[in-house]
Amino acid sequence: MDWLTSLAPIIAPVCGALGIVTGAFFSYRQVKRRGDTDERVATLKVRADAEATEGQTYVEAMKTVTAGFSSLLDQQRGMLDQQRDLLVQERTMHAQTVERVNLLETGQLELTREVRQLQEEQRRDRRWKVAALDYIRDLRGLVAKALGRPAPEPPEEIADDVIGSDRP
């Protein structure tokens, strides 16, 4: 074992140097791990911030889309309300038009009835006039035969009818 003791002055500084190198290595490793950890934390923080920003952007986009759809639905509701109001107005106008048409049809039917009644009265008056003229002619003929002279002249209102029909 002498040889081991004789190597002690060499081994002690080598072990010391080895201890220093090992300590420096562990210190380096610890600093490097801390740096790597800090770097990973910074990277994760940046990634988390990016994801949070992206999430916030997504939320804002969804809010914008939702607001747009809500606005569109409100516009469509407004348009539907306007269309419903127009439809009610059109139905009211249609009902008024139908009422007017019915009134006109009723008036037309009444006028048609009156026209038929007047036509019937005209036919009756014409028949009466023809019968009255025949009767007047017969009377004039009887008066002319009975008196032996011409019958008196008829009044102006009927003279053309009576005299015009006496002379064939």
Side-chain angles (χ1 to χ4, degrees), residues 131-144:
L133 287 175
D134 286 343
Y135 185 71
I136 290 172
R137 278 189 225 111
D138 289 345
L139 286 177
R140 282 181 61 114
L142 285 174
V143 167

Side-chain angles (χ1 to χ4, degrees), residues 4-48:
L4 194 54
T5 45
S6 65
L7 285 175
I10 296 174
I11 290 181
V14 169
C15 282
L18 188 60
I20 290 172
V21 169
T22 303
F25 174 74
F26 283 130
S27 177
Y28 168 76
R29 195 172 95 182
Q30 184 180 11
V31 168
K32 184 172 184 201
R33 280 188 179 174
R34 247 187 227 151
D36 289 346
T37 302
D38 289 344
E39 187 179 319
R40 264 188 271 132
V41 166
T43 303
L44 289 175
K45 188 174 181 181
V46 168
R47 188 179 300 155

Side-chain angles (χ1 to χ4, degrees), residues 86-104:
L86 287 175
L87 183 62
V88 166
Q89 288 175 354
E90 287 178 6
R91 285 181 179 167
T92 304
M93 287 175 41
H94 178 70
Q96 290 173 349
T97 302
V98 167
E99 184 178 329
R100 288 180 192 143
V101 166
N102 288 337
L103 183 65
L104 289 173

